[in-house]
């Protein structure tokens, strides 16, 4: 990858004045609670999925953000609609954890009123090593509860060689940033858990070029959003979004991303991994996850939810030019790019289809010889955050490929699909996880499951 400039450290004036971790701050401090929103003191017990933490009040579970296990916080109950649990928001930290740090994004700090805290950096108040430990806990708990397996997985820092310029504190990694536009034209992120636009003085999770490019003091009346894009090849771009997506027909701007010695062309508004080092990390992780003893280059290998061909290329680069692999993606433009990006492989094919429908048609139409090639296959799948789901799992189990390499951005979705696959004759061999979203609760995992003969 092209090496970006080192992240620019904004001055204290640009980043916002540094303040204590708790306590009122005048006009920007916690607002007075409404009469029907009680304020309570909570002892924070553990982390939960979704970037919130678990406490109890009067025997009921309370989910509260902006905290750390072991802390005591003053919180406002904001949602009492459920019998089993309530939701709250932290107003003040009464007893701080030793893992609490000054928030990496001043505008997201707990010392601001909850409705004025910038969203998108919900773990930024936690030391980076504790963040990874908490994410590991969430992943292990999900696999145990929803997948029925005990697996000792630890979330890893990515190889710094894959992400030059990314800071050790987990800032300076985002290559794509969307700034929302308020009715008056001001820009900023949404406040956490709302659609209120919060003006900010910096975007510290972004790579340096986007932090410098961000038009944080400008106005864009009538626009929906402002997108900032920093591809690994070429200059960063600022795009004013007037509609939700670009037109499906006609010329559309493209960008080029480099992963190692390989380049990928995609639409500028198309999907690509957002961390500067994510594509290289996942390429190597998928290559490592495929068991070579089970891999047959002549089998009907599949890359499901394949995008522009990143992971199909990873398999091809690992096992050579003779690899047969079909990449399947519902987005027509992405499939067109995948076909071009994989053109050097005679055995590659890019298909535009919904994955569930593609597998249905494959299962219904396959000859005996084709079914044999499918049983010998390796299937890579990188589903959306909701996971592959029962219909896809059922079809995969029916086709019974030798091994599955599952790339997941949601621990619970991964665990549920692992549980379904285990019920259908697949064993979980390994899981690795990477901190591709520092200072947020998100985590990326790669799992290998093999057919139990």
């Amino acid at each position: 990858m092209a090496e970006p400039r080192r992240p620019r450290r904004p001055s204290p004036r640009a980043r916002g004045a540094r303040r204590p971790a708790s306590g009122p701050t005048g006009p920007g401090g916690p607002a007075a609670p409404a009469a029907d929103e009680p304020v309570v003191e909570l002892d924070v017990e553990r982390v939960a999925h979704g970037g919130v933490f678990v406490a109890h009040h009067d025997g009921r579970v309370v989910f509260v953000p902006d905290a750390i296990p072991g802390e005591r916080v003053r919180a406002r109950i904001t949602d009492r609609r459920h019998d089993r649990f309530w939701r709250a928001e932290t107003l003040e930290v009464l007893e701080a954890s030793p893992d609490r740090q000054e928030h990496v994004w001043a505008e997201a700090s707990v010392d601001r009123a909850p409705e004025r805290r910038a969203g998108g950096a919900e773990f930024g108040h936690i030391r980076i090593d504790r963040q990874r430990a908490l994410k590991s806990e969430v992943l292990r708990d999900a696999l145990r509860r929803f997948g029925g397996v005990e697996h000792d997985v630890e979330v890893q820092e990515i190889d710094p060689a894959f992400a030059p310029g990314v800071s050790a504190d987990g800032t300076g990694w985002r290559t794509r940033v969307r700034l929302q536009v308020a009715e008056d034209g001001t820009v900023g992120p949404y406040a956490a858990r709302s659609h209120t636009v919060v003006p900010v003085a910096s975007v510290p999770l972004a790579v340096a070029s986007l932090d410098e490019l961000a038009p944080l003091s400008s106005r864009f009346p009538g626009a929906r959003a402002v997108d900032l894009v920093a591809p690994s090849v070429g200059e960063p771009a600022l795009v004013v979004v007037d509609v939700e997506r670009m037109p499906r027909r006609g010329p559309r701007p493209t960008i080029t991303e480099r992963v190692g010695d390989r380049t990928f062309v995609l639409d500028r508004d198309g999907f690509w991994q957002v961390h500067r080092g994510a594509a290289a990390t996942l390429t190597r992780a998928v290559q490592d996850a495929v068991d070579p003893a089970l891999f047959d280059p002549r089998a009907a290998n599949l890359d499901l939810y394949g995008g522009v061909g990143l992971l199909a290329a990873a398999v091809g680069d690992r096992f050579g030019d003779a690899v047969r692999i079909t990449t399947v993606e519902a987005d027509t433009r992405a499939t067109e790019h995948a076909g071009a990006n994989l053109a050097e492989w005679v055995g590659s094919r890019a298909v535009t289809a919904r994955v569930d429908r593609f597998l249905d048609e494959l299962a219904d139409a396959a000859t005996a010889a084709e079914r044999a090639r499918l049983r010998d296959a390796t299937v890579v799948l990188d589903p959306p955050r909701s996971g592959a789901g029962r219909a896809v799992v059922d079809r995969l189990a029916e086709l019974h490929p030798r091994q599955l390499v599952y790339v997941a951005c949601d621990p619970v979705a991964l665990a549920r699909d692992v549980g379904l696959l285990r019920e259908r004759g697949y064993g979980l061999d390994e899981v690795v996880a990477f901190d591709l979203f520092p200072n947020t609760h998100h985590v990326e995992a790669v799992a290998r499951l093999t057919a139990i003969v």
Side-chain angles (χ1 to χ4, degrees), residues 128-389:
I128 195 71
D129 56 342
R130 185 67 190 281
Q131 289 184 35
R132 294 179 184 135
L134 292 169
K135 295 179 188 185
S136 301
E137 184 179 333
V138 169
L139 180 53
R140 290 193 297 265
D141 181 66
L143 287 170
R144 180 174 60 254
R145 293 174 57 202
F146 300 102
V149 291
E150 296 282 347
H151 204 93
D152 188 18
V153 58
E154 298 289 340
V155 174
Q156 306 171 30
E157 177 185 9
I158 70 170
D159 187 338
F162 290 156
V166 174
S167 299
D169 66 353
T171 58
W173 55 268
R174 289 194 68 101
T175 60
R176 284 149 177 77
V177 173
R178 167 158 285 198
L179 299 171
Q180 308 296 335
V181 179
E183 290 185 2
D184 65 356
T186 58
V187 300
Y190 281 141
R193 297 167 294 280
S194 86
H195 286 161
T196 301
V197 176
V198 178
V200 296
S202 66
V203 282
L205 299 193
V207 295
S209 60
L210 295 188
D211 193 27
E212 296 169 355
L213 184 64
L216 301 177
S217 60
S218 301
R219 290 178 180 265
F220 296 84
R224 294 175 61 92
V226 175
D227 284 345
L228 307 173
V229 183
S232 54
V233 178
E235 295 300 314
L238 183 154
V239 182
V240 178
V241 180
D242 295 316
V243 294
E244 186 58 29
R245 288 185 62 86
M246 294 183 183
R248 288 291 179 182
R249 296 181 179 179
R252 294 172 66 179
T254 61
I255 58 173
T256 300
E257 296 283 0
R258 180 178 291 118
V259 183
D261 296 328
R262 183 172 295 283
T263 57
F264 297 84
V265 175
L266 63 147
D267 285 353
R268 187 176 60 191
D269 70 334
F271 174 78
W272 187 256
Q273 292 288 339
V274 71
H275 190 293
R276 172 64 77 199
T281 298
L282 293 177
T283 291
R284 185 168 71 180
V286 166
Q287 291 173 337
D288 291 346
V290 175
D291 185 344
L294 298 176
F295 186 80
D296 181 353
R298 298 164 298 177
N301 302 298
L302 299 174
D303 171 32
L304 305 181
Y305 313 94
V308 298
L310 173 69
L311 300 183
V315 175
D317 285 340
R318 167 84 192 276
F319 293 101
D321 295 342
V323 168
R324 291 183 55 187
I325 190 163
T326 298
T327 183
V328 183
E329 167 60 49
D331 185 282
T332 302
R333 289 283 297 176
T335 308
E336 292 172 357
H337 289 307
N341 293 333
L342 303 173
E344 68 189 77
W345 280 297
V346 175
S348 71
R349 187 166 67 109
V351 174
T352 302
R354 275 181 39 171
V355 167
D356 55 348
R357 293 175 182 172
F358 172 83
L359 294 177
D360 285 345
E361 293 175 4
L362 193 63
D364 292 342
T367 65
E370 289 169 338
R371 282 187 174 272
R373 288 194 294 272
L374 286 164
R375 286 193 298 273
D376 292 338
T378 293
V379 176
V380 178
L381 61 160
D382 183 8
R385 192 171 302 280
S386 57

Side-chain angles (χ1 to χ4, degrees), residues 12 15 32 48 76 133 148 169 190 208 366 419 444:
R15 290 176 62 91
R76 177 167 55 206
D169 66 353
Y190 281 141
E444 196 90 5

